[in-house]
Amino acid sequence: MKLQSVSLLLSTLSIALSAPSPYRPKPKLVNKYPGLDVLAKRAGLLYFGTAIDNVVLNNSQYISIAHNKSEFGQVTPSNGQKWMYIEPQQGKFNYSMGDAITKPGREAGQMGRCHTFIWHNQLPEWLTAKNWTKPELVKVLENHIRHEARHYYDSCYAWDVVNEAFNDDGTLRETMWLNTIGKSYIELAFKFARKYTSPRTRLYYNDYGIERVNNKSIAVAEMVKYFLKRGVPIDGVGLQAHFTTGRSPSYNETSASIAQYNKLGVEVALTELDVRQALPDSHEQQQAQAKIYADSVKACVDAKDCVGVTVWDFWDPVSWVPETFPGYGDACLWSANFTKKPAYYAISDMLREYS
């Protein structure tokens, strides 16, 4: 090679080495472990959410999970919006407990489900101790719904308007509402809710034991059909889904129950999902619990119009189960030391199949 050619080659090489490299975008970092809400949305649901109780709001580790939008895209006050806390004295309203959950939820970008306008439990003494006339109690009911609905006007994707109004045999539960107003109290509650909530808010009837096609779930379906025929506003049915390891509905049974409401033209949600276990817990029970959780969520994902799933809290120490069902517990997705349980991963793995 001639000296002139070598010189030219070295000059060209020097220019190439000193020139800036062509732009190559950095590869996006992919989260290998997306949260349950992220996966639920990929699978077609509107949200995966959790209920939150006020008793645990001082636990920073709990709060960091509860308001982690990737895990929970929706939050529900499990107690703070019930009558005894909202209207502890007649005409005197206190929204502090509900706000303590809904406000941080909005700040975290989470949706809200609101729970509940009317129930036979957790009522203040001023309401239960008096013998009301029908017109008086109707007025009290409307006034309560008006104030609470207006306060949470833009905070609720959905309201559980009436909670647990039926017995297991499909008859109406005997309550002060039924005894004083008559069966029309349910219809009135929905009409009042529609009158005072945002037009965008979905109005739900919510109950347990309706996750199979049975006397109770059929009675609820008949009520929905009757309401729709008469123009009574109702948008959805909440299947609470409080289950027990060893005697929970199957995927097919839950799917069939969801379908009976979807066929009527209303949406469905699993609103209070948990799976309690006989104590002490065991590896076998955890595996069974995991399957129940995954199958329940899958039934919602596969349904025509099941919009989302809410677990009734996610941390075992604050579950309602041990107090209500002595000898049972460990019903949630996180254990006492904040370890994710097999049920969490079973839901996650199932949802990934839809991604």
Side-chain angles (χ1 to χ4, degrees):
M1 181 181 291
K2 293 182 178 179
L3 184 60
Q4 184 179 14
S5 300
V6 172
S7 178
L8 179 61
L9 177 61
L10 292 173
S11 175
T12 303
L13 182 60
S14 175
I15 292 171
L17 291 172
S18 63
S21 304
Y23 171 73
R24 293 184 179 87
K26 293 181 179 180
K28 292 183 179 179
L29 295 176
V30 178
N31 184 0
K32 294 182 180 180
Y33 304 102
L36 295 179
D37 186 70
V38 173
L39 292 170
K41 285 184 169 70
R42 291 179 187 173
L45 298 184
L46 188 60
Y47 60 80
F48 193 100
T50 185
I52 301 173
D53 201 356
N54 297 76
V55 298
V56 75
L57 296 184
N58 61 348
N59 186 309
S60 59
Q61 189 169 1
Y62 175 94
I63 290 299
S64 69
I65 299 171
H67 291 300
N68 178 351
K69 187 182 176 183
S70 68
E71 292 287 8
F72 302 117
Q74 171 268 113
V75 293
T76 301
S78 56
N79 284 296
Q81 292 175 318
K82 291 174 181 174
W83 201 310
M84 66 182 292
Y85 302 113
I86 292 293
E87 194 179 359
Q89 300 176 49
Q90 187 173 5
K92 305 293 183 181
F93 293 86
N94 185 342
Y95 302 105
S96 60
M97 286 182 62
D99 290 355
I101 291 160
T102 59
K103 286 184 177 180
R106 287 198 302 272
E107 291 168 1
Q110 296 167 302
M111 298 171 60
R113 285 196 89 258
C114 294
H115 175 82
T116 173
F117 281 135
I118 184 168
W119 190 30
H120 61 276
N121 280 330
Q122 291 183 272
L123 299 172
E125 187 177 357
W126 69 262
L127 184 59
T128 58
K130 182 176 177 179
N131 291 321
W132 303 92
T133 66
K134 178 178 178 178
E136 286 175 337
L137 194 55
V138 169
K139 186 177 180 180
V140 166
L141 176 61
E142 180 173 9
N143 188 60
H144 179 83
I145 292 176
R146 177 172 64 246
H147 279 83
E148 189 169 15
R150 285 177 172 172
H151 180 81
Y152 292 107
Y153 190 80
D154 291 318
S155 302
C156 312
Y157 165 78
W159 260 107
D160 292 329
V161 178
V162 177
N163 196 50
E164 301 176 5
F166 286 87
N167 296 311
D168 290 344
D169 63 2
T171 59
L172 285 173
R173 183 192 297 272
E174 186 173 336
T175 66
M176 62 174 291
W177 308 108
L178 181 65
N179 293 340
T180 305
I181 299 174
K183 65 181 181 180
S184 65
Y185 85 88
I186 305 176
E187 180 176 334
L188 287 171
F190 276 90
K191 288 179 176 177
F192 294 152
R194 183 75 294 150
K195 183 178 179 180
Y196 298 114
T197 60
S198 164
R200 298 180 296 276
T201 300
R202 312 295 283 172
L203 305 182
Y204 271 64
Y205 175 77
N206 192 54
D207 214 330
Y208 65 89
I210 59 173
E211 300 82 12
R212 293 180 173 96
V213 178
N214 54 29
N215 289 336
K216 189 175 189 178
S217 69
I218 291 170
V220 173
E222 289 299 317
M223 179 191 71
V224 171
K225 188 187 302 183
Y226 175 75
F227 279 8
L228 294 174
K229 183 178 180 180
R230 297 187 67 244
V232 178
I234 185 169
D235 302 301
V237 174
L239 281 61
Q240 290 185 9
H242 291 300
F243 296 146
T244 307
T245 300
R247 45 191 174 93
S248 296
S250 67
Y251 163 85
N252 288 335
E253 288 173 322
T254 301
S255 296
S257 186
I258 293 172
Q260 71 180 326
Y261 302 117
N262 284 169
K263 288 176 183 177
L264 297 175
V266 296
E267 67 185 43
V268 170
L270 303 186
T271 56
E272 304 184 21
L273 176 62
D274 56 20
V275 183
R276 60 184 177 267
Q277 311 204 74
L279 299 176
D281 198 0
S282 66
H283 173 76
E284 290 73 22
Q285 282 200 117
Q286 287 193 10
Q287 298 307 308
Q289 180 189 57
K291 183 176 185 339
I292 294 166
Y293 262 110
D295 285 350
S296 301
V297 177
K298 180 176 172 59
C300 183
V301 171
D302 290 345
K304 176 184 175 184
D305 192 11
C306 183
V307 298
V309 176
T310 306
V311 292
W312 207 241
D313 225 305
F314 62 90
W315 189 42
D316 280 339
V318 291
S319 170
W320 70 297
V321 167
E323 182 179 352
T324 309
F325 300 96
Y328 286 84
D330 292 353
C332 300
L333 298 179
W334 271 258
S335 62
N337 63 357
F338 288 104
T339 300
K340 295 174 182 177
K341 294 158 70 171
Y344 176 98
Y345 293 106
I347 296 171
S348 177
D349 290 344
M350 183 275 298
L351 289 173
R352 286 170 194 272
E353 297 175 3
Y354 293 82
S355 300

